[in-house]
Amino acid sequence: MSVSLPVVYTIRGCDACVKLLDKWQAEGMAFEERRVETSQVLMDEARRYGAMVPIVVWPDGRVEQGLEGHISCFII
Amino acid sequence: MPRDTSVVTPERFAEGLTYAEFLAQATVNADKFEHYHRTSPLTADDLAFFAEAVARPDGLAKIMAIAEAWCGDVYRELPTVARIAEASGAELRIFLREQNPDIMDEFLSNEGQSRAIPVVVFYRRDHRYLTHFTERAAVAHQDLADAQAAVTADLQLPAGTKLGTAPQDQRQAFITALIARIEPRLPEWQRAAIQEMRSLLATALKTTEAAAGARVTA
């Protein structure tokens, strides 16, 4: 994937997703959010990277799943 | 736990989605709902149990589920609940978690900290609460705990490391290894969920029907 911003796959109501986005917004960080519950295309895309949201795909290709200290959501 | 003051009144229950309506509004996982409905591990004995529960004079009549279509535990278990309702004649209504926070708040788990789904709630004809099942069976929780301990050892992380506490730089490896361990167990989780729902329901029916000499066995 070629991206210039981190892409974060989230689900509405996911505690860890909310916490991560709140943190990034407070830090003024730019990112692209993709809500996986809104389309099968985004759900399938997210599953290629992981099993638990939030899933972050960094511009250098690194992938992170979940958020330390918070309840994340399985999508498989 | 729901009480006499539950927000799920008979009128509210009737506003829930039917299974067909739930599927129609779902934007993801249609293939998975279809697959798990078609391959549900319900046995003839399971179906007879739920049919008997419905046939009782003061027995099971309504099933409420709290769900979201994106959730793996939901698409593995809700189709089975739909099959139970279809075969037994119980009325199934489904409420979306994010659109019904007041209902979700009555069925929180993990000492009130988790909004885990699915929640499957059983009611009598007069809408009295019988019992409810949340998220996944006890054996599944034990599997998860065992798998987390094994992965922690494999990755040489501090003892007691869990999904929520795995350090960020090792979370990817932790989750990948965890999924590899639990995926083969998912069919057993489905069976265990059915057994647990049967057990919960049998106990709830026995509690008030023993005096009438009724018999329900799990």
Side-chain angles (χ1 to χ4, degrees):
Chain A
M1 168 180 272
S2 174
V3 289
S4 55
L5 292 176
V7 172
V8 56
Y9 295 92
T10 65
I11 284 174
R12 179 188 176 201
C14 159
D15 176 62
C17 301
V18 171
K19 293 288 191 307
L20 178 63
L21 296 190
D22 284 351
K23 176 174 176 287
W24 281 2
Q25 283 163 350
E27 294 170 348
M29 183 166 156
F31 60 89
E32 178 185 344
E33 181 184 11
R34 297 183 183 172
R35 288 261 302 276
V36 306
E37 85 279 14
T38 61
S39 87
Q40 192 65 52
V41 170
L42 292 180
M43 176 64 81
D44 292 342
E45 195 175 294
R47 283 183 178 136
R48 287 201 290 275
Y49 293 109
M52 175 178 277
V53 294
I55 298 171
V56 180
V57 182
W58 295 95
D60 65 4
R62 283 180 300 119
V63 176
E64 294 177 354
Q65 296 182 65
L67 184 66
E68 187 174 349
H70 297 283
I71 296 168
S72 304
C73 298
F74 280 110
I75 56 170
I76 62 153
Chain B
M1 291 282 291
R3 289 160 266 301
D4 291 342
T5 55
S6 171
V7 296
V8 189
T9 60
E11 294 75 21
R12 180 81 177 273
F13 176 87
E15 293 172 1
L17 301 170
T18 64
Y19 187 59
E21 290 168 342
F22 173 81
L23 294 179
Q25 64 78 45
T27 49
V28 294
N29 295 328
D31 58 335
K32 294 192 182 295
F33 281 99
E34 189 281 326
H35 169 78
Y36 284 106
H37 189 271
R38 181 167 38 81
T39 63
S40 170
L42 281 164
T43 65
D45 189 59
D46 294 326
L47 293 174
F49 168 84
F50 287 103
E52 183 193 5
V54 169
R56 304 176 75 78
D58 194 24
L60 169 67
K62 302 176 183 179
I63 305 173
M64 179 185 79
I66 307 172
E68 290 286 346
W70 54 261
C71 174
D73 288 306
V74 168
Y75 63 65
R76 274 186 290 276
E77 292 171 10
L78 187 60
T80 286
V81 174
R83 287 276 305 274
I84 289 169
E86 290 157 9
S88 69
E91 182 180 4
L92 171 63
R93 296 289 174 161
I94 302 162
F95 292 82
L96 301 179
R97 183 182 74 172
E98 300 310 320
Q99 294 180 10
N100 296 277
D102 57 338
I103 296 179
M104 185 70 253
D105 283 349
E106 286 190 16
F107 296 96
L108 299 176
S109 53
N110 191 23
E111 299 181 340
Q113 297 182 64
S114 299
R115 302 188 307 139
I117 49 175
V119 177
V120 181
V121 191
F122 298 94
Y123 297 96
R124 298 182 193 274
R125 247 166 227 92
D126 63 1
H127 201 69
R128 270 179 298 150
Y129 165 85
L130 276 164
T131 188
H132 74 277
F133 170 87
T134 301
E135 192 179 20
R136 55 180 82 105
V139 66
H141 287 292
Q142 188 59 54
D143 277 353
L144 265 175
D146 292 346
Q148 288 178 92
V151 171
T152 293
D154 289 348
L155 297 180
Q156 299 182 312
L157 294 169
T161 298
K162 295 187 162 100
L163 264 176
T165 61
Q168 205 69 21
D169 61 347
Q170 291 194 272
R171 290 186 63 79
Q172 189 74 6
F174 189 95
I175 293 170
T176 300
L178 184 69
I179 297 301
R181 283 182 176 272
I182 63 175
E183 274 197 321
R185 298 285 297 155
L186 294 179
E188 178 57 28
W189 290 15
Q190 285 181 269
R191 274 301 310 157
I194 295 167
Q195 283 303 120
E196 205 160 288
M197 283 189 269
R198 282 184 61 163
S199 178
L200 287 166
L201 191 53
T203 300
L205 289 169
K206 273 180 186 166
T207 299
T208 52
E209 294 181 359
R215 185 179 64 85
V216 175
T217 53

